[in-house]
Amino acid sequence: MGAVPAPQRPRVDPAALGVGIVHLGIGAFHRAHQAVYTEDAVAAAGGDWGICGVTQRSRAVVEQLGPQDGLYAVLAHDAAGSEARVVGAVRELLFAGEEAGRLRDLLAAPATRLVTLTVTEKGYRHDPATGRLRRADPDVAADLEGWPAGRAPRTVVGRLVAGLAARRAADAGPLTLLSCDNLPANGAVLRGLVADFCAALPAGEALRGWVEESVRFPSSMVDRIVPATTAADREQVQRLLGLRDEGVVVTEPFRQWVVEDDFAAGRPAWERAGAVLTDDVAPYEAMKLRLLNGSHSTLAYLGVLAGHEHVADAVADDGIAALVARLMAHDVVPTLAVPAGFDVVRYQRDLMDRFANPALRHRTLQIAMDGSQKLPQRLLATISDALAAGREPRAACLGVAAWMRYVSTARSEAGAPLPVDDPLTARLAEVTAGAGSPAAVVDALLGLPEVFGEELPADGRFRALVEQALEALTRDGVAGAVRESVAS
Protein backbone atom coordinates (compact mmCIF):
# COMPACT_ATOMS: atom_id res chain seq x y z
CA MET A 1 0.00 0.00 0.00
CA GLY A 2 1.13 3.52 -0.61
CA ALA A 3 0.60 6.63 1.46
CA VAL A 4 -2.75 8.37 0.97
CA PRO A 5 -2.57 12.04 -0.03
CA ALA A 6 -4.02 14.57 2.39
CA PRO A 7 -6.57 15.81 3.08
CA GLN A 8 -9.13 13.00 3.03
CA ARG A 9 -12.83 13.13 3.82
CA PRO A 10 -15.13 10.38 5.15
CA ARG A 11 -16.97 8.34 2.54
CA VAL A 12 -20.29 9.63 3.89
CA ASP A 13 -21.41 13.11 4.92
CA PRO A 14 -21.46 12.91 8.73
CA ALA A 15 -23.80 15.91 9.03
CA ALA A 16 -26.46 14.10 7.01
CA LEU A 17 -26.29 10.88 9.02
CA GLY A 18 -28.82 10.22 11.79
CA VAL A 19 -28.19 7.77 14.63
CA GLY A 20 -29.68 4.33 14.01
CA ILE A 21 -27.12 2.21 15.89
CA VAL A 22 -26.06 2.35 19.54
CA HIS A 23 -22.72 0.65 20.09
CA LEU A 24 -21.61 -0.42 23.58
CA GLY A 25 -17.84 -0.53 23.97
CA ILE A 26 -16.49 1.94 21.44
CA GLY A 27 -12.87 0.96 21.73
CA ALA A 28 -10.29 0.61 19.00
CA PHE A 29 -11.66 -2.64 17.62
CA HIS A 30 -15.13 -1.31 16.86
CA ARG A 31 -13.73 1.82 15.26
CA ALA A 32 -11.45 -0.27 13.01
CA HIS A 33 -14.06 -2.89 12.17
CA GLN A 34 -17.85 -2.49 12.45
CA ALA A 35 -17.78 1.31 12.09
CA VAL A 36 -15.77 0.97 8.86
CA TYR A 37 -18.14 -1.67 7.47
CA THR A 38 -21.11 0.54 8.40
CA GLU A 39 -19.69 3.64 6.73
CA ASP A 40 -18.92 1.66 3.58
CA ALA A 41 -22.41 0.14 3.60
CA VAL A 42 -24.06 3.54 3.93
CA ALA A 43 -21.83 4.95 1.20
CA ALA A 44 -22.92 2.09 -1.09
CA ALA A 45 -26.61 1.79 -0.24
CA GLY A 46 -27.67 4.71 1.96
CA GLY A 47 -29.65 4.62 5.19
CA ASP A 48 -29.69 6.45 8.51
CA TRP A 49 -27.18 4.21 10.25
CA GLY A 50 -24.99 6.64 12.15
CA ILE A 51 -23.51 5.28 15.37
CA CYS A 52 -23.76 6.52 18.93
CA GLY A 53 -20.64 5.15 20.59
CA VAL A 54 -20.94 4.35 24.29
CA THR A 55 -17.84 4.03 26.47
CA GLN A 56 -18.26 1.59 29.34
CA ARG A 57 -15.36 2.21 31.72
CA SER A 58 -13.95 5.71 31.21
CA ARG A 59 -14.39 8.98 29.35
CA ALA A 60 -11.19 8.50 27.34
CA VAL A 61 -12.76 7.91 23.92
CA VAL A 62 -15.32 10.69 24.48
CA GLU A 63 -12.48 13.08 25.26
CA GLN A 64 -10.51 11.93 22.22
CA LEU A 65 -13.29 11.99 19.65
CA GLY A 66 -15.67 14.61 21.04
CA PRO A 67 -13.57 17.63 19.97
CA GLN A 68 -13.13 15.96 16.56
CA ASP A 69 -16.91 15.64 15.98
CA GLY A 70 -16.55 11.87 16.14
CA LEU A 71 -14.10 11.76 13.22
CA TYR A 72 -10.95 9.63 13.42
CA ALA A 73 -8.42 7.93 11.18
CA VAL A 74 -7.94 4.21 10.60
CA LEU A 75 -4.27 3.51 9.87
CA ALA A 76 -3.65 0.15 8.19
CA HIS A 77 -0.10 -1.23 8.13
CA ASP A 78 1.53 -4.04 6.22
CA ALA A 79 5.03 -4.76 4.96
CA ALA A 80 4.39 -2.72 1.80
CA GLY A 81 3.48 0.49 3.63
CA SER A 82 0.63 2.29 5.35
CA GLU A 83 -2.77 3.59 4.34
CA ALA A 84 -4.98 6.02 6.24
CA ARG A 85 -8.66 6.89 5.90
CA VAL A 86 -10.96 9.15 7.88
CA VAL A 87 -14.15 7.54 9.19
CA GLY A 88 -17.31 9.53 9.91
CA ALA A 89 -19.84 6.87 10.97
CA VAL A 90 -19.68 7.81 14.68
CA ARG A 91 -22.12 10.66 15.18
CA GLU A 92 -22.55 10.79 18.95
CA LEU A 93 -20.53 9.74 22.00
CA LEU A 94 -21.46 9.21 25.62
CA PHE A 95 -19.97 7.76 28.79
CA ALA A 96 -22.44 5.31 30.34
CA GLY A 97 -21.09 5.91 33.84
CA GLU A 98 -22.24 9.55 33.73
CA GLU A 99 -25.08 9.50 31.22
CA ALA A 100 -27.15 6.46 32.12
CA GLY A 101 -30.40 8.31 31.47
CA ARG A 102 -29.29 9.36 27.99
CA LEU A 103 -28.25 5.78 27.20
CA ARG A 104 -31.60 4.44 28.39
CA ASP A 105 -33.43 7.01 26.26
CA LEU A 106 -31.38 6.12 23.19
CA LEU A 107 -32.11 2.41 23.64
CA ALA A 108 -35.80 3.29 23.87
CA ALA A 109 -35.83 5.66 20.89
CA PRO A 110 -37.77 4.46 17.80
CA ALA A 111 -34.91 5.70 15.58
CA THR A 112 -32.55 3.21 17.26
CA ARG A 113 -33.03 -0.08 15.45
CA LEU A 114 -29.80 -1.86 16.26
CA VAL A 115 -27.49 -2.21 19.29
CA THR A 116 -24.02 -3.66 18.71
CA LEU A 117 -21.51 -4.71 21.36
CA THR A 118 -17.74 -5.11 21.71
CA VAL A 119 -17.38 -5.26 25.48
CA THR A 120 -14.81 -8.13 25.64
CA GLU A 121 -15.53 -11.56 27.04
CA LYS A 122 -15.40 -10.39 30.65
CA GLY A 123 -17.96 -7.64 30.02
CA TYR A 124 -20.79 -10.14 29.86
CA ARG A 125 -20.35 -11.16 33.54
CA HIS A 126 -21.16 -14.75 32.65
CA ASP A 127 -19.81 -18.14 33.55
CA PRO A 128 -17.92 -19.29 30.43
CA ALA A 129 -18.48 -22.93 31.37
CA THR A 130 -22.30 -22.64 31.50
CA GLY A 131 -23.08 -19.42 29.64
CA ARG A 132 -25.27 -18.26 32.54
CA LEU A 133 -25.31 -14.85 34.19
CA ARG A 134 -23.07 -14.69 37.28
CA ARG A 135 -25.68 -13.41 39.72
CA ALA A 136 -23.09 -13.53 42.52
CA ASP A 137 -20.95 -10.96 40.67
CA PRO A 138 -21.06 -7.88 42.94
CA ASP A 139 -22.11 -5.49 40.17
CA VAL A 140 -24.74 -7.85 38.78
CA ALA A 141 -26.13 -8.38 42.28
CA ALA A 142 -26.19 -4.62 42.87
CA ASP A 143 -27.97 -4.00 39.56
CA LEU A 144 -30.65 -6.54 40.47
CA GLU A 145 -30.99 -5.33 44.06
CA GLY A 146 -31.41 -1.70 43.04
CA TRP A 147 -34.04 -2.36 40.38
CA PRO A 148 -35.90 -0.27 39.30
CA ALA A 149 -35.04 2.59 41.66
CA GLY A 150 -31.62 3.35 43.10
CA ARG A 151 -28.41 3.82 41.14
CA ALA A 152 -28.16 3.28 37.42
CA PRO A 153 -26.99 -0.17 36.27
CA ARG A 154 -23.24 -0.69 36.02
CA THR A 155 -23.14 -3.87 33.96
CA VAL A 156 -23.63 -4.24 30.23
CA VAL A 157 -26.56 -6.62 30.62
CA GLY A 158 -28.13 -4.41 33.28
CA ARG A 159 -27.89 -1.37 31.00
CA LEU A 160 -29.38 -3.30 28.11
CA VAL A 161 -32.31 -4.57 30.17
CA ALA A 162 -32.98 -1.07 31.53
CA GLY A 163 -33.11 0.20 27.95
CA LEU A 164 -35.33 -2.68 26.84
CA ALA A 165 -37.73 -2.03 29.70
CA ALA A 166 -37.93 1.65 28.69
CA ARG A 167 -38.42 0.68 25.05
CA ARG A 168 -41.27 -1.65 25.95
CA ALA A 169 -42.90 1.05 28.07
CA ALA A 170 -42.60 3.55 25.20
CA ASP A 171 -43.95 1.04 22.66
CA ALA A 172 -40.98 1.98 20.47
CA GLY A 173 -40.95 -1.19 18.39
CA PRO A 174 -38.61 -4.12 17.84
CA LEU A 175 -34.83 -4.03 18.23
CA THR A 176 -31.79 -6.15 17.41
CA LEU A 177 -28.90 -6.76 19.82
CA LEU A 178 -25.80 -7.88 17.92
CA SER A 179 -22.81 -9.17 19.87
CA CYS A 180 -19.47 -8.78 18.08
CA ASP A 181 -17.31 -10.29 20.81
CA ASN A 182 -15.19 -13.45 20.67
CA LEU A 183 -17.70 -15.83 22.27
CA PRO A 184 -19.04 -19.02 20.71
CA ALA A 185 -22.70 -18.49 19.72
CA ASN A 186 -22.40 -14.95 21.02
CA GLY A 187 -25.96 -14.09 20.03
CA ALA A 188 -27.39 -17.05 21.93
CA VAL A 189 -25.18 -16.21 24.93
CA LEU A 190 -26.44 -12.63 25.00
CA ARG A 191 -30.04 -13.76 24.63
CA GLY A 192 -29.61 -16.10 27.59
CA LEU A 193 -28.00 -13.43 29.78
CA VAL A 194 -30.78 -10.94 29.07
CA ALA A 195 -33.34 -13.65 29.87
CA ASP A 196 -31.49 -14.55 33.09
CA PHE A 197 -31.47 -10.90 34.18
CA CYS A 198 -35.17 -10.45 33.39
CA ALA A 199 -36.04 -13.66 35.25
CA ALA A 200 -34.24 -12.38 38.35
CA LEU A 201 -36.32 -9.16 38.45
CA PRO A 202 -39.53 -8.74 40.43
CA ALA A 203 -42.34 -9.25 37.90
CA GLY A 204 -39.70 -9.66 35.20
CA GLU A 205 -41.59 -12.34 33.27
CA ALA A 206 -43.65 -9.79 31.34
CA LEU A 207 -40.49 -8.02 30.18
CA ARG A 208 -38.91 -11.35 29.33
CA GLY A 209 -41.93 -12.26 27.20
CA TRP A 210 -41.73 -8.95 25.34
CA VAL A 211 -38.05 -9.49 24.67
CA GLU A 212 -38.75 -12.94 23.24
CA GLU A 213 -41.30 -11.46 20.84
CA SER A 214 -39.62 -8.17 19.91
CA VAL A 215 -35.83 -8.54 20.15
CA ARG A 216 -33.48 -10.50 17.91
CA PHE A 217 -30.02 -11.73 18.96
CA PRO A 218 -28.05 -12.73 15.83
CA SER A 219 -24.58 -14.20 16.19
CA SER A 220 -21.54 -12.82 14.43
CA MET A 221 -17.86 -13.51 13.86
CA VAL A 222 -15.39 -10.64 13.63
CA ASP A 223 -11.77 -10.68 12.51
CA ARG A 224 -9.26 -7.86 12.30
CA ILE A 225 -6.07 -7.43 14.32
CA VAL A 226 -6.14 -4.09 16.14
CA PRO A 227 -3.13 -3.38 18.38
CA ALA A 228 -2.87 -0.45 20.76
CA THR A 229 -2.16 2.94 19.17
CA THR A 230 1.23 4.53 19.83
CA ALA A 231 2.53 8.07 19.68
CA ALA A 232 4.40 7.11 16.50
CA ASP A 233 1.09 6.10 14.89
CA ARG A 234 -0.42 9.51 15.68
CA GLU A 235 2.62 11.22 14.22
CA GLN A 236 2.37 9.12 11.05
CA VAL A 237 -1.29 10.04 10.59
CA GLN A 238 -0.38 13.69 11.00
CA ARG A 239 2.17 13.33 8.20
CA LEU A 240 -0.25 11.45 5.95
CA LEU A 241 -3.34 13.59 6.48
CA GLY A 242 -1.96 16.87 7.73
CA LEU A 243 -4.17 16.63 10.82
CA ARG A 244 -3.59 15.83 14.48
CA ASP A 245 -5.83 12.89 15.43
CA GLU A 246 -6.11 11.87 19.08
CA GLY A 247 -8.45 8.99 18.20
CA VAL A 248 -6.48 7.18 15.50
CA VAL A 249 -6.78 3.39 15.47
CA VAL A 250 -4.20 1.03 13.99
CA THR A 251 -4.94 -2.20 12.16
CA GLU A 252 -4.04 -4.49 9.25
CA PRO A 253 -5.49 -4.43 5.71
CA PHE A 254 -7.36 -7.72 6.31
CA ARG A 255 -10.89 -7.61 7.70
CA GLN A 256 -13.70 -10.16 7.93
CA TRP A 257 -17.23 -10.11 9.30
CA VAL A 258 -19.72 -12.98 9.19
CA VAL A 259 -23.21 -12.13 10.48
CA GLU A 260 -26.32 -14.21 11.04
CA ASP A 261 -29.01 -12.49 8.96
CA ASP A 262 -31.73 -12.25 11.62
CA PHE A 263 -32.72 -8.63 12.30
CA ALA A 264 -35.91 -7.26 13.81
CA ALA A 265 -35.85 -3.71 12.44
CA GLY A 266 -33.54 -3.61 9.45
CA ARG A 267 -29.77 -3.28 9.17
CA PRO A 268 -27.11 -1.56 7.06
CA ALA A 269 -26.28 -3.24 3.74
CA TRP A 270 -23.08 -4.67 5.22
CA GLU A 271 -22.82 -7.21 2.41
CA ARG A 272 -22.16 -4.24 0.09
CA ALA A 273 -19.06 -3.59 2.23
CA GLY A 274 -17.79 -7.16 2.05
CA ALA A 275 -19.46 -8.79 5.06
CA VAL A 276 -20.87 -12.30 4.75
CA LEU A 277 -24.55 -12.59 5.73
CA THR A 278 -25.50 -16.18 6.45
CA ASP A 279 -27.99 -18.45 8.20
CA ASP A 280 -25.24 -20.19 10.20
CA VAL A 281 -22.24 -18.38 11.66
CA ALA A 282 -21.06 -21.36 13.74
CA PRO A 283 -18.54 -22.93 11.30
CA TYR A 284 -16.84 -19.58 10.65
CA GLU A 285 -16.94 -18.72 14.33
CA ALA A 286 -15.31 -21.96 15.46
CA MET A 287 -12.66 -21.68 12.77
CA LYS A 288 -11.73 -18.14 13.76
CA LEU A 289 -11.87 -18.68 17.52
CA ARG A 290 -9.77 -21.83 17.41
CA LEU A 291 -7.34 -21.07 14.59
CA LEU A 292 -6.76 -17.33 14.95
CA ASN A 293 -7.62 -16.61 18.58
CA GLY A 294 -6.31 -19.91 19.94
CA SER A 295 -3.03 -19.37 18.10
CA HIS A 296 -2.91 -15.74 19.20
CA SER A 297 -3.24 -16.68 22.87
CA THR A 298 -0.64 -19.43 22.55
CA LEU A 299 1.74 -16.98 20.85
CA ALA A 300 1.06 -14.42 23.56
CA TYR A 301 1.79 -16.67 26.55
CA LEU A 302 4.81 -18.37 25.07
CA GLY A 303 6.03 -15.06 23.68
CA VAL A 304 5.68 -13.07 26.87
CA LEU A 305 7.46 -15.79 28.89
CA ALA A 306 10.30 -15.82 26.36
CA GLY A 307 10.60 -12.02 26.46
CA HIS A 308 9.05 -11.24 23.07
CA GLU A 309 7.25 -7.89 23.26
CA HIS A 310 5.27 -8.21 20.04
CA VAL A 311 3.48 -11.01 18.21
CA ALA A 312 5.72 -10.54 15.17
CA ASP A 313 8.76 -11.09 17.42
CA ALA A 314 7.26 -14.32 18.74
CA VAL A 315 6.50 -15.59 15.22
CA ALA A 316 10.08 -14.77 14.20
CA ASP A 317 11.15 -17.37 16.79
CA ASP A 318 11.33 -20.51 14.62
CA GLY A 319 10.43 -22.82 17.47
CA ILE A 320 7.31 -20.90 18.50
CA ALA A 321 6.26 -20.53 14.84
CA ALA A 322 6.57 -24.29 14.33
CA LEU A 323 4.55 -24.94 17.49
CA VAL A 324 1.73 -22.64 16.34
CA ALA A 325 1.69 -24.21 12.88
CA ARG A 326 1.39 -27.63 14.55
CA LEU A 327 -1.38 -26.33 16.83
CA MET A 328 -3.43 -25.22 13.84
CA ALA A 329 -2.83 -28.19 11.53
CA HIS A 330 -2.78 -31.11 13.99
CA ASP A 331 -4.86 -29.98 16.96
CA VAL A 332 -7.45 -27.52 15.61
CA VAL A 333 -8.30 -28.35 11.99
CA PRO A 334 -9.52 -31.93 12.70
CA THR A 335 -12.07 -30.46 15.16
CA LEU A 336 -13.61 -28.08 12.60
CA ALA A 337 -16.59 -28.34 10.25
CA VAL A 338 -14.98 -26.30 7.49
CA PRO A 339 -17.52 -24.42 5.31
CA ALA A 340 -17.83 -25.79 1.77
CA GLY A 341 -15.35 -24.20 -0.59
CA PHE A 342 -13.26 -22.66 2.18
CA ASP A 343 -9.50 -23.20 1.77
CA VAL A 344 -8.46 -23.92 5.35
CA VAL A 345 -4.84 -24.65 4.37
CA ARG A 346 -4.49 -21.23 2.79
CA TYR A 347 -6.25 -19.66 5.79
CA GLN A 348 -3.55 -21.08 8.08
CA ARG A 349 -0.79 -19.68 5.86
CA ASP A 350 -2.53 -16.31 5.77
CA LEU A 351 -2.78 -16.29 9.57
CA MET A 352 0.94 -16.90 9.95
CA ASP A 353 1.62 -14.05 7.49
CA ARG A 354 -0.70 -11.75 9.43
CA PHE A 355 0.96 -12.65 12.74
CA ALA A 356 4.36 -11.93 11.18
CA ASN A 357 3.36 -8.47 9.90
CA PRO A 358 6.37 -6.40 11.08
CA ALA A 359 4.49 -3.11 10.87
CA LEU A 360 1.73 -4.26 13.24
CA ARG A 361 3.14 -3.77 16.72
CA HIS A 362 0.67 -6.01 18.57
CA ARG A 363 1.92 -6.48 22.12
CA THR A 364 1.88 -9.97 23.57
CA LEU A 365 0.80 -8.58 26.94
CA GLN A 366 -2.29 -7.02 25.35
CA ILE A 367 -3.40 -10.41 24.04
CA ALA A 368 -2.48 -12.10 27.35
CA MET A 369 -5.09 -10.08 29.23
CA ASP A 370 -8.22 -11.80 30.57
CA GLY A 371 -6.97 -15.32 29.90
CA SER A 372 -9.42 -16.92 32.31
CA GLN A 373 -12.24 -15.65 30.09
CA LYS A 374 -10.55 -16.51 26.78
CA LEU A 375 -9.16 -20.01 27.34
CA PRO A 376 -12.50 -21.89 27.22
CA GLN A 377 -13.38 -20.92 23.66
CA ARG A 378 -9.87 -20.41 22.29
CA LEU A 379 -8.07 -23.57 23.50
CA LEU A 380 -10.18 -25.71 25.83
CA ALA A 381 -12.90 -26.41 23.26
CA THR A 382 -10.26 -27.67 20.82
CA ILE A 383 -8.71 -29.84 23.54
CA SER A 384 -12.08 -31.34 24.54
CA ASP A 385 -12.97 -32.25 20.96
CA ALA A 386 -9.53 -33.68 20.23
CA LEU A 387 -9.55 -35.86 23.35
CA ALA A 388 -13.06 -37.07 22.52
CA ALA A 389 -11.73 -38.18 19.13
CA GLY A 390 -8.86 -40.09 20.78
CA ARG A 391 -6.10 -37.63 19.81
CA GLU A 392 -3.50 -35.90 22.00
CA PRO A 393 -3.60 -32.10 21.47
CA ARG A 394 -0.08 -31.48 22.77
CA ALA A 395 0.40 -28.01 21.25
CA ALA A 396 -2.91 -26.76 22.63
CA CYS A 397 -2.06 -28.17 26.06
CA LEU A 398 1.29 -26.36 25.91
CA GLY A 399 -0.67 -23.14 25.31
CA VAL A 400 -2.69 -23.83 28.47
CA ALA A 401 0.48 -24.66 30.41
CA ALA A 402 2.07 -21.39 29.24
CA TRP A 403 -0.94 -19.51 30.63
CA MET A 404 -0.52 -21.39 33.92
CA ARG A 405 3.18 -20.50 34.04
CA TYR A 406 2.37 -16.86 33.31
CA VAL A 407 -0.34 -16.43 35.96
CA SER A 408 1.44 -18.47 38.64
CA THR A 409 4.85 -16.79 38.38
CA ALA A 410 4.02 -13.36 36.90
CA ARG A 411 7.59 -13.31 35.58
CA SER A 412 9.36 -13.90 32.30
CA GLU A 413 12.12 -16.46 31.95
CA ALA A 414 14.61 -13.63 32.42
CA GLY A 415 12.97 -12.68 35.72
CA ALA A 416 11.19 -9.54 34.50
CA PRO A 417 7.90 -8.92 36.34
CA LEU A 418 4.77 -9.41 34.23
CA PRO A 419 1.37 -7.86 35.02
CA VAL A 420 -1.51 -10.33 35.28
CA ASP A 421 -4.57 -8.42 34.10
CA ASP A 422 -7.55 -10.72 34.56
CA PRO A 423 -10.98 -10.64 36.24
CA LEU A 424 -9.73 -13.52 38.41
CA THR A 425 -6.30 -12.04 39.22
CA ALA A 426 -6.76 -12.24 42.98
CA ARG A 427 -8.22 -15.74 42.82
CA LEU A 428 -5.40 -16.98 40.56
CA ALA A 429 -2.80 -15.64 42.98
CA GLU A 430 -4.62 -17.14 45.95
CA VAL A 431 -4.91 -20.69 44.62
CA THR A 432 -1.33 -20.86 43.31
CA ALA A 433 0.32 -19.16 46.30
CA GLY A 434 1.41 -22.41 47.95
CA ALA A 435 1.99 -24.42 44.79
CA GLY A 436 5.65 -25.40 44.85
CA SER A 437 5.79 -27.68 41.81
CA PRO A 438 4.30 -27.84 38.31
CA ALA A 439 1.97 -30.63 39.44
CA ALA A 440 0.73 -28.49 42.32
CA VAL A 441 0.14 -25.51 40.00
CA VAL A 442 -1.86 -27.71 37.62
CA ASP A 443 -3.92 -29.11 40.50
CA ALA A 444 -4.62 -25.61 41.84
CA LEU A 445 -5.68 -24.07 38.54
CA LEU A 446 -7.68 -27.06 37.31
CA GLY A 447 -9.67 -26.60 40.49
CA LEU A 448 -11.25 -23.45 39.02
CA PRO A 449 -14.53 -24.62 37.46
CA GLU A 450 -15.23 -21.09 36.20
CA VAL A 451 -12.31 -21.60 33.81
CA PHE A 452 -12.06 -25.34 33.17
CA GLY A 453 -15.54 -26.62 33.98
CA GLU A 454 -15.93 -30.06 35.50
CA GLU A 455 -15.21 -32.57 32.72
CA LEU A 456 -11.73 -31.57 31.51
CA PRO A 457 -10.11 -31.57 34.99
CA ALA A 458 -11.49 -35.07 35.51
CA ASP A 459 -9.83 -36.32 32.31
CA GLY A 460 -6.52 -37.89 33.27
CA ARG A 461 -5.14 -37.52 29.74
CA PHE A 462 -5.65 -33.74 29.81
CA ARG A 463 -4.16 -33.39 33.26
CA ALA A 464 -1.11 -35.44 32.25
CA LEU A 465 -0.52 -33.48 29.03
CA VAL A 466 -0.74 -30.09 30.76
CA GLU A 467 1.43 -31.23 33.65
CA GLN A 468 4.06 -32.58 31.26
CA ALA A 469 4.06 -29.31 29.32
CA LEU A 470 4.32 -27.18 32.45
CA GLU A 471 7.18 -29.32 33.75
CA ALA A 472 9.01 -28.78 30.43
CA LEU A 473 8.43 -25.00 30.60
CA THR A 474 9.72 -24.93 34.18
CA ARG A 475 12.73 -27.14 33.51
CA ASP A 476 13.75 -26.19 29.95
CA GLY A 477 12.08 -22.85 29.28
CA VAL A 478 9.97 -21.97 26.26
CA ALA A 479 12.56 -23.14 23.72
CA GLY A 480 12.89 -26.58 25.29
CA ALA A 481 9.18 -27.05 25.88
CA VAL A 482 8.37 -26.04 22.31
CA ARG A 483 11.02 -28.35 20.93
CA GLU A 484 9.67 -31.28 22.96
CA SER A 485 6.07 -30.60 21.90
CA VAL A 486 6.84 -30.26 18.19
CA ALA A 487 8.97 -33.43 18.21
CA SER A 488 6.34 -35.55 19.96
Side-chain angles (χ1 to χ4, degrees):
M1 296 181 295
V4 173
Q8 188 189 75
R9 297 181 181 277
R11 297 179 186 178
V12 297
D13 178 5
L17 200 56
V19 171
I21 301 172
V22 173
H23 181 81
L24 303 186
I26 186 166
F29 185 82
H30 170 74
R31 304 201 312 271
H33 191 273
Q34 298 101 50
V36 175
Y37 274 100
T38 298
E39 178 172 89
D40 290 348
V42 172
D48 246 359
W49 294 108
I51 299 166
C52 173
V54 181
T55 67
Q56 297 290 112
R57 292 176 291 184
S58 78
R59 291 187 51 82
V61 177
V62 175
E63 292 169 354
Q64 288 173 347
L65 299 188
Q68 301 178 182
D69 195 27
L71 303 176
Y72 62 92
V74 175
L75 180 64
H77 293 307
D78 68 7
S82 301
E83 180 178 88
R85 65 176 281 189
V86 175
V87 176
V90 177
R91 302 315 317 130
E92 186 174 341
L93 295 148
L94 65 86
F95 174 36
E98 296 176 353
E99 301 173 86
R102 174 62 180 152
L103 173 57
R104 184 182 61 249
D105 292 345
L106 274 170
L107 295 177
T112 300
R113 288 158 286 164
L114 176 60
V115 179
T116 53
L117 299 90
T118 50
V119 296
T120 75
E121 294 93 335
K122 67 182 176 183
Y124 290 83
R125 310 295 179 103
H126 74 304
D127 181 343
T130 65
R132 302 302 299 271
L133 185 69
R134 291 202 318 266
R135 290 182 57 177
D137 179 283
D139 286 334
V140 173
D143 283 356
L144 292 169
E145 184 179 335
W147 195 276
R151 66 166 179 79
R154 294 179 182 174
T155 67
V156 169
V157 175
R159 287 167 177 161
L160 285 174
V161 173
L164 292 173
R167 191 175 187 90
R168 173 175 176 255
D171 195 21
L175 186 68
T176 300
L177 306 187
L178 175 63
S179 171
C180 301
D181 283 296
N182 288 321
L183 297 169
N186 49 19
V189 169
L190 182 58
R191 180 192 299 114
L193 297 176
V194 168
D196 284 351
F197 196 99
C198 291
L201 296 174
E205 283 305 310
L207 176 58
R208 182 176 179 177
W210 179 86
V211 169
E212 289 177 354
E213 293 179 0
S214 304
V215 183
R216 296 288 181 271
F217 298 85
S219 290
S220 74
M221 183 277 280
V222 298
D223 187 3
R224 200 172 201 188
I225 296 173
V226 183
T229 302
T230 67
D233 296 320
R234 294 188 180 91
E235 291 169 4
Q236 184 174 10
V237 165
Q238 188 161 8
R239 291 194 301 272
L240 289 173
L241 301 180
L243 301 166
R244 180 68 181 177
D245 180 9
E246 295 300 327
V248 62
V249 292
V250 180
T251 189
E252 60 179 336
F254 179 91
R255 70 182 190 188
Q256 185 182 24
W257 197 8
V258 182
V259 186
E260 181 184 1
D261 199 1
D262 181 22
F263 290 79
R267 59 168 176 79
W270 286 317
E271 68 275 17
R272 297 283 297 274
V276 174
L277 277 295
T278 180
D279 292 334
D280 187 9
V281 172
Y284 298 91
E285 177 184 78
M287 189 162 52
K288 188 259 180 174
L289 282 169
R290 297 186 184 193
L291 284 173
L292 186 149
N293 296 120
S295 297
H296 235 179
S297 287
T298 301
L299 277 167
Y301 295 119
L302 292 172
V304 78
L305 290 172
H308 298 307
E309 183 179 0
H310 299 106
V311 170
D313 303 327
V315 176
D317 182 318
D318 290 342
I320 294 178
L323 184 282
V324 171
R326 181 181 178 87
L327 166 69
M328 290 193 283
H330 294 277
D331 291 359
V332 176
V333 169
T335 72
L336 300 175
V338 179
F342 191 92
D343 189 342
V344 73
V345 174
R346 178 176 178 178
Y347 183 65
Q348 293 170 76
R349 290 199 302 265
D350 289 346
L351 284 178
M352 295 300 289
D353 289 342
R354 291 168 63 195
F355 294 153
N357 184 345
L360 208 60
R361 311 290 283 173
H362 204 177
R363 299 180 69 230
T364 50
L365 274 174
Q366 181 185 354
I367 302 164
M369 292 171 54
D370 304 331
S372 69
Q373 306 294 295
K374 296 174 177 177
L375 284 184
Q377 57 269 16
R378 295 188 177 200
L379 288 171
L380 302 185
T382 289
I383 291 168
S384 293
D385 287 350
L387 290 172
R391 290 181 286 103
E392 291 189 340
R394 290 182 175 273
C397 287
L398 178 57
V400 173
W403 172 78
M404 290 182 170
R405 179 76 175 162
Y406 166 65
V407 300
S408 64
T409 66
R411 290 191 176 276
S412 73
E413 291 180 349
L418 297 172
V420 177
D421 187 345
D422 192 286
L424 299 182
T425 296
R427 181 92 172 110
L428 296 170
E430 176 189 355
V431 300
T432 59
S437 67
V441 171
V442 171
D443 283 342
L445 292 173
L446 291 188
L448 297 175
E450 57 266 58
V451 180
F452 292 97
E454 303 290 346
E455 292 185 10
L456 265 180
D459 190 315
R461 297 168 300 167
F462 172 63
R463 184 179 292 267
L465 287 169
V466 173
E467 187 174 322
Q468 179 181 339
L470 186 56
E471 286 175 347
L473 284 169
T474 304
R475 181 184 64 246
D476 303 322
V478 169
V482 162
R483 188 163 53 248
E484 179 177 314
S485 181
V486 170
S488 60

